[in-house]
Amino acid sequence: MEYARIKYLHYLGDKRALRDELVSRGFTSPFGLSARMWKLCLEDALFTLERQWEAAIETVRGLVARHGGLTDEEKRYAFWLLYKPEKGSRPWERVQAIFTGEDVTGGQVKPDEADRLRVRNYLRRALRRVLGKRPRVKKARSFVVDPQMYRVFSTEKRQYIAVSTLTPGERVVVPLAGVHAVKGNLRLVLLPDERAVEVHISCEPAVFLPGDGEAGIDLGVTEVFTDDTGRKYRPEYGEALKEISDYLLDKSRKRQKLWALYRENLERDPAKARRIRKHNLGVLKQRERCRRFRRRCENEVNRAFNEFLKARRPRVVAYEDLSRLRGKAKSRGLSRRVSMWQRSIIRERMGFKWFVYSVEDPGPVNAAYSSQTCPACGWPDPQNRSGDTFKCRKCGFTADADRVAAMNLKARLRDEEITRYTPRSKVKEILLRRYSGNGAV
């Protein structure tokens, strides 16, 4: 599996090259797909692999930055191997060299040969650990069709789309909800219950001109986030998370009782155990309910970013590391699930909205002591914050704690000392030194 990953790394930057190579060999799909179908599937698979590698490389970059056993010169070499330009594709030959053992330097000043080998060995182990198993699609199956593989038509009452099947000349007709301007490549998604199909239309979003100024946001769970002016966006989000948490907790308790009853009857009454397992311990309804909950959260997050970006139109936005978010549910397991939803939804929406509103993304800033440091005098003290209220014990500055956090995050956008990976203890030392340097007692 790893050999296949490495072998096709250089195709990720040029997906068409692999397709042309397969065509020149006279490739035919073993699953009966037409040439047009397997070419689209191939591009989709390579895109999935590329996203997995990009996510893994970003994670490993963070590990390298925090690694205490690498020298500064070795870290620079590691970052050079994992480098991606702002415009254009990633030089995948550098990543491939990590696994093939090829010693690449790019003509720059690098560590000696032994240190370069040590760096490549570390990156290889880290990437293997982060990548794990090969990526797999979810149960909801999906595929892409181009304009030659479907036909849209309407009757007096409804609009339909006829999609090509594996049998030449035959098409499946799918009724659409509403009337839409359908064009270009489409993605068809078979929903988990296998009784409905979603048709995703690809279109170019309207991109706004870049704004001016900077802004900071503090992500939360009672609302999506609070900005540095003190405005809280979508408090309905907290109500949705609470409802999700309460439902999952109650449902889990009931299912645990049913599982206990099922285990008690496995030997005493196997028929009853089978009935309990079949009629009371299914997952289809639970998955559908969780899917609706997740969609509700997605809607609230999307509305929050729309309201914020339309009102503020910032050029740069300061935000904290999403991996540190924690859902405030009533149990650790449920908190972990809600937190996972929250991180993935916000990460996806943030990337898309940053593109639409032309927002520069310098990456997350260090959030250590951001809600405990006074933005007026700079005194860092956990006792400055009490619940949702902030009151400085030195100068008396009072404000909402989330607003204070957003203000401090915004201030750290241009902070050369407190970087993203500065340890928490080091941040405290810097803040105390600055407070003392200002002449405060």
Side-chain angles (χ1 to χ4, degrees):
M1 179 181 67
E2 181 177 309
Y3 170 76
R5 275 180 174 168
I6 301 168
K7 179 182 178 183
Y8 293 107
L9 264 180
H10 64 281
Y11 287 117
L12 297 183
D14 186 9
K15 301 180 181 63
R16 191 178 183 89
L18 178 58
R19 190 198 74 170
D20 294 342
E21 181 179 332
L22 293 174
V23 171
S24 64
R25 295 178 182 177
F27 174 81
T28 57
S29 170
F31 305 103
L33 301 178
S34 64
R36 188 178 297 274
M37 290 180 179
W38 71 253
K39 290 174 184 176
L40 288 172
C41 291
L42 175 64
E43 184 176 354
D44 211 19
L46 290 176
F47 180 79
T48 301
L49 287 172
E50 184 174 346
R51 292 303 92 196
Q52 187 204 24
W53 274 97
E54 290 289 0
I57 290 172
E58 184 63 25
T59 302
V60 172
R61 280 176 57 88
L63 297 176
V64 171
R66 295 188 293 268
H67 197 290
L70 296 177
T71 65
D72 291 341
E73 196 68 29
E74 290 171 343
K75 288 184 179 181
R76 281 194 289 271
Y77 179 60
F79 287 136
W80 182 84
L81 290 172
L82 302 177
Y83 169 75
K84 179 181 179 181
E86 294 184 3
K87 296 182 179 180
S89 61
R90 177 185 295 277
W92 289 101
E93 63 275 5
R94 299 187 189 181
V95 181
Q96 192 174 19
I98 297 173
F99 293 88
T100 59
E102 181 183 356
D103 190 4
V104 292
T105 61
Q108 302 181 15
V109 178
K110 302 295 177 185
D112 56 34
E113 184 177 353
D115 292 336
R116 293 198 298 269
L117 178 61
R118 178 168 172 261
V119 171
R120 293 197 302 274
N121 288 339
Y122 169 74
L123 292 178
R124 181 166 60 250
R125 293 193 303 270
L127 284 169
R128 283 173 176 170
R129 184 170 63 253
V130 174
L131 285 168
K133 298 181 179 180
R134 69 180 67 185
R136 297 183 181 274
V137 297
K138 297 180 180 179
K139 183 179 179 181
R141 298 181 292 275
S142 68
F143 59 95
V144 179
V145 294
D146 64 15
Q148 303 299 322
M149 298 171 61
Y150 68 87
R151 179 174 62 88
V152 180
F153 62 95
S154 303
T155 63
E156 296 181 357
K157 297 182 178 180
R158 201 160 192 176
Q159 187 180 32
Y160 298 86
I161 179 172
V163 184
S164 299
T165 65
L166 295 180
T167 304
E170 292 188 4
R171 298 199 174 198
V172 173
V173 177
V174 179
L176 301 178
V179 179
H180 310 273
V182 182
K183 62 180 181 179
N185 287 6
L186 308 179
R187 178 174 291 277
L188 274 68
V189 181
L190 180 62
L191 298 183
D193 57 11
E194 300 188 4
R195 291 177 296 179
V197 176
E198 287 184 351
V199 179
H200 296 183
I201 302 173
S202 301
C203 60
E204 289 293 330
V207 179
F208 295 85
L209 294 176
D212 296 323
E214 300 173 348
I217 59 174
D218 179 63
L219 301 166
V221 292
T222 54
E223 64 283 325
V224 179
F225 56 80
T226 304
D227 67 6
D228 54 293
T229 65
R231 179 177 173 181
K232 296 181 179 295
Y233 292 85
R234 304 306 299 179
E236 297 86 352
Y237 181 68
E239 300 173 3
L241 286 182
K242 184 178 183 302
E243 183 179 340
I244 294 170
S245 174
D246 292 343
Y247 166 78
L248 293 176
L249 181 62
D250 179 66
K251 195 69 174 178
S252 297
R253 287 172 176 170
K254 292 178 179 179
R255 288 176 69 88
Q256 287 299 324
K257 294 180 181 179
L258 289 170
W259 276 111
L261 187 62
Y262 164 76
R263 287 190 290 267
E264 290 176 3
N265 288 277
L266 272 178
E267 296 182 1
R268 184 174 57 188
D269 191 349
K272 183 177 180 179
R274 286 195 298 270
R275 290 194 299 270
I276 294 174
R277 181 68 181 271
K278 180 179 180 181
H279 300 292
N280 302 101
L281 291 172
V283 296
L284 293 180
K285 290 184 179 179
Q286 187 178 20
R287 287 177 180 173
E288 177 62 24
R289 178 66 66 89
C290 289
R291 192 170 67 88
R292 289 201 300 268
F293 278 143
R294 183 183 176 92
R295 184 177 298 173
R296 181 179 171 185
C297 291
E298 290 174 348
N299 291 337
E300 296 297 341
V301 171
N302 191 66
R303 290 167 184 163
F305 277 112
N306 284 338
E307 294 173 5
F308 167 70
L309 293 169
K310 288 179 180 178
R312 298 289 303 273
R313 292 301 307 278
R315 180 174 54 84
V316 183
V317 178
Y319 60 93
E320 60 188 301
D321 190 348
L322 299 182
S323 64
R324 299 184 181 276
L325 292 180
R326 295 293 182 269
K328 295 182 180 178
K330 294 182 179 179
S331 72
R332 291 184 178 180
L334 302 179
S335 178
R336 192 178 304 115
R337 180 179 300 183
V338 172
S339 176
M340 179 183 64
W341 285 359
Q342 186 183 21
R343 289 196 302 269
S344 62
I345 294 171
I346 290 177
R347 184 181 293 109
E348 188 275 329
R349 284 291 85 190
M350 190 180 291
F352 177 72
K353 294 300 180 181
W354 276 198
F355 167 75
V356 171
Y357 287 89
S358 303
V359 177
E360 297 179 13
D361 187 7
V365 299
N366 196 321
Y369 299 99
S370 59
S371 63
Q372 302 171 4
T373 303
C374 179
C377 68
W379 170 248
D381 189 345
Q383 296 183 9
N384 285 344
R385 177 171 183 173
S386 177
D388 294 331
T389 303
F390 180 94
K391 184 175 181 180
C392 181
R393 295 171 61 85
K394 293 294 184 180
C395 69
F397 177 84
T398 304
D400 180 80
D402 294 334
R403 182 192 177 188
V404 169
M407 293 171 67
N408 287 322
L409 290 174
K410 176 182 175 182
R412 291 180 185 177
L413 273 173
R414 307 303 177 194
D415 197 320
E416 297 182 356
E417 284 189 288
I418 303 178
T419 64
R420 177 181 178 182
Y421 299 110
T422 303
R424 185 177 178 87
S425 58
K426 183 67 174 178
V427 173
K428 184 68 173 290
E429 294 178 6
I430 295 173
L431 294 174
L432 289 173
R433 174 169 50 81
R434 291 177 179 176
Y435 177 77
S436 301
N438 291 332
V441 179

